[in-house]
Amino acid sequence: MAAGSGTKTAGRLYDIVVFGASGFTGQFVVEEVARAAAGEGQLCGGRLRWAVAGRSREKLRAVLERAAERLGKAALGEEVGVLLCDVGDAGSLATMARQTRVVLNCVGPYRFFGEPVVEACVENGASCIDISGEPQFLEGMYLKYNEKAAEKGVYVVGSCGFDSIPADMGVLYTRDQLKGTLTAVESFLSVKSGPEGLGVHDGTWKSAVYGLADEDSLKKLRKQIGYAPVPVVGAKLKKRGFVFYSPEFKEYCLAFMGSDGSVVKRTQRYLYSELQQTPVQYGAYVTLGGLGSVIKLMFMGMLFLLLVKFNFGRKLLTKYPKFFSGGYFTKEGPTQKQMDGTSFTMTFFGEGYSEGQDPQTGKPNVKICTEVKGPEPGYIATPIAMVQAALSLLEDAASLPKKGGVYSPGAAFSKTKLIDRLNKRGVEFSVISKPEV
């Protein structure tokens, strides 16, 4: 067994603690853990032992009742622990971390509330998983805690939600399906909604507001880390315009503003420098629809980018998310009907060189197309991805990187059964077209 998964944490009361369990996303993560515990949560012959943690006992109890009801059970029983814990109280975080093997951290925006949890986990020998889509937080944690986590034999794996497991694992899946050497991939995200439309909780909106406001310090942070450059292998992937028309989708597309690009890059750097694997170039895009959608988005985007630069502008944006996002982001979050009607598809177009071809010379001569499909991204696919990542940490210990540290999902899970686990839970990876050489 890998460090941090065996004896060191064997005496712990819980396998998993969901921190921030009564928050908007936390409640769906609780439900997903309950589902895992009821079904395939057989850990090394034992049951999955888990707990919820947060500030209010009443709210935590209510979340457990809601999860039981949604799973059609009378109650989740006494076997689920309830821990009182506050992100502002280091002692309570340490107590939580000492009792579990893995903490699922659902308390965001992570740039404000994430670090104390990572610190408590690393200091107290628990692994930690979050669903942050904030590159600055993710890379900042790498800079500050990677060495300490390695020493302690624990794994800190960020961005284990919709940001950025489909993209990061999707690129690895595409690479593994190509007979030959994959050198470049572009992904296109399409989100489809039903008659009720799309809805997103404003927690995600806040993360975007503060993330874009603070882009300069991300550049400084990367300088501090001093990333080694990753070589370009194969033909150089062309950068597309910010907005462009895609003949494949017959829709306008734009560069994806989320964390996928930075997360995939970190994974590829790790696989290249630590495992001597050929690095894959990557571009991330999202489909928009017709010209009307483009004009509406451009108008909203310009307003957003203007306001985000000023303190009063950020206050306005965070106070009235519904108004400034054209109704998508709300303080209430999506309704059940909206979630049920929403799904996503991420399509990957890969190119590379067939077996025996030298990727350093000549043009790519094979193409491959794969996709990752799943339910509503924010509150159905994200909890699935987060919980399956936790189960991979707990059950696929022998396939994790040899030493602990702060990892991106692809770096941590490239050799585990994570993709199989996701497939079983409805986040499905498949090959659309095989290469013709």
Side-chain angles (χ1 to χ4, degrees):
M1 275 214 167
S5 55
T7 49
K8 250 187 234 178
T9 51
R12 305 208 164 197
L13 219 69
Y14 305 110
D15 300 305
I16 289 173
V17 170
V18 182
F19 178 53
S22 55
F24 191 81
T25 308
Q27 59 182 339
F28 297 106
V29 174
V30 166
E31 205 178 298
E32 193 56 32
V33 176
R35 208 172 269 123
E40 84 286 18
Q42 299 292 339
L43 286 182
C44 311
R47 299 293 293 167
L48 182 67
R49 303 160 309 153
W50 64 288
V52 290
R55 287 183 301 197
S56 153
R57 194 178 293 278
E58 289 66 46
K59 284 185 181 168
L60 293 170
R61 291 250 175 255
V63 162
L64 289 174
E65 277 166 29
R66 177 185 179 274
E69 195 179 315
R70 307 239 319 166
L71 267 67
K73 297 179 140 199
L76 289 173
E78 291 305 302
E79 79 269 14
V80 182
V82 176
L83 309 176
L84 289 183
C85 189
D86 186 337
V87 78
D89 174 356
S92 72
L93 292 176
T95 304
M96 168 181 75
R98 276 196 291 270
Q99 295 183 65
T100 186
R101 294 168 66 192
V102 182
V103 170
L104 300 190
N105 183 15
C106 304
V107 180
Y110 291 93
R111 65 166 50 241
F112 300 131
F113 306 119
E115 184 174 347
V117 183
V118 172
E119 189 177 9
C121 286
V122 171
E123 291 294 340
N124 295 284
S127 289
C128 181
I129 285 179
D130 70 52
I131 44 179
S132 167
E134 305 161 48
Q136 217 180 329
F137 166 73
L138 297 162
E139 296 179 41
M141 292 304 95
Y142 173 78
L143 179 64
K144 282 181 90 165
Y145 296 99
N146 185 49
E147 282 176 18
K148 192 82 191 261
E151 242 168 73
K152 294 271 191 173
V154 297
Y155 298 89
V156 177
V157 193
S159 50
C160 284
F162 176 71
D163 298 299
S164 290
I165 276 187
D168 203 14
M169 299 308 291
V171 170
L172 297 184
Y173 175 81
T174 307
R175 178 198 72 180
D176 293 343
Q177 299 303 315
L178 185 81
K179 282 190 168 54
T181 309
L182 183 72
T183 55
V185 175
E186 290 182 318
S187 69
F188 289 80
L189 167 65
S190 303
V191 178
K192 296 277 176 277
S193 58
E196 302 275 325
L198 270 180
V200 190
H201 188 256
D202 81 326
T204 305
W205 175 258
K206 280 184 189 144
S207 297
V209 170
Y210 296 119
L212 278 168
D214 206 12
E215 268 196 313
D216 291 348
S217 46
L218 182 57
K219 291 191 182 99
K220 281 185 203 138
L221 176 67
R222 286 177 174 163
K223 270 212 177 87
Q224 248 182 304
I225 294 173
Y227 288 129
V230 177
V232 170
V233 177
K236 192 165 168 47
L237 186 59
K238 285 187 185 65
K239 266 238 186 293
R240 295 176 181 260
F242 187 66
V243 175
F244 57 93
Y245 183 78
S246 157
E248 290 93 352
F249 293 97
K250 298 186 175 47
E251 283 186 45
Y252 284 91
C253 301
L254 103 151
F256 182 63
M257 303 283 282
S259 59
D260 288 357
S262 72
V263 171
V264 169
K265 198 164 187 177
R266 282 173 57 213
T267 292
Q268 294 304 321
R269 176 179 285 112
Y270 170 84
L271 296 175
Y272 168 72
S273 60
E274 297 295 319
L275 305 178
Q276 287 73 57
Q277 295 177 358
T278 304
V280 178
Q281 306 167 67
Y282 177 65
Y285 304 97
V286 56
T287 64
L288 277 181
L291 204 52
S293 308
V294 175
I295 292 163
K296 183 180 164 187
L297 190 94
M298 289 307 235
F299 175 73
M300 277 165 33
M302 274 149 68
L303 186 62
F304 185 90
L305 290 173
L306 181 72
L307 288 172
V308 92
K309 288 190 168 60
F310 306 101
N311 196 15
F312 86 93
R314 293 192 287 277
K315 282 193 177 133
L316 278 175
L317 286 168
T318 51
K319 197 171 178 185
Y320 304 108
K322 194 169 184 174
F323 177 77
F324 287 108
S325 69
Y328 286 133
F329 291 86
T330 61
K331 291 185 187 294
E332 303 74 46
T335 62
Q336 191 58 49
K337 268 202 173 130
Q338 281 178 316
M339 287 176 5
D340 292 342
T342 304
S343 62
F344 79 89
T345 305
M346 201 176 263
T347 309
F348 298 82
F349 297 101
E351 60 172 36
Y353 296 76
S354 57
E355 285 171 309
Q357 282 291 109
D358 179 5
Q360 303 290 10
T361 56
K363 285 197 164 82
N365 66 340
V366 286
K367 285 183 173 359
I368 184 170
C369 176
T370 63
E371 70 176 24
V372 180
K373 273 163 64 164
E376 188 279 331
Y379 313 102
I380 304 179
T382 285
I384 289 170
M386 188 184 212
V387 172
Q388 297 309 317
L391 292 174
S392 284
L393 271 189
L394 292 166
E395 299 188 345
D396 305 344
S399 313
L400 295 172
K402 295 267 185 295
K403 59 182 191 198
V406 178
Y407 289 99
S408 56
F413 300 123
S414 70
K415 295 178 171 175
T416 67
K417 298 196 187 81
L418 179 57
I419 289 176
D420 298 342
R421 294 176 190 285
L422 292 167
N423 273 326
K424 286 189 186 119
R425 282 294 297 121
V427 176
E428 293 165 8
F429 292 67
S430 61
V431 176
I432 303 303
S433 66
K434 277 285 202 200
E436 314 290 318
V437 180

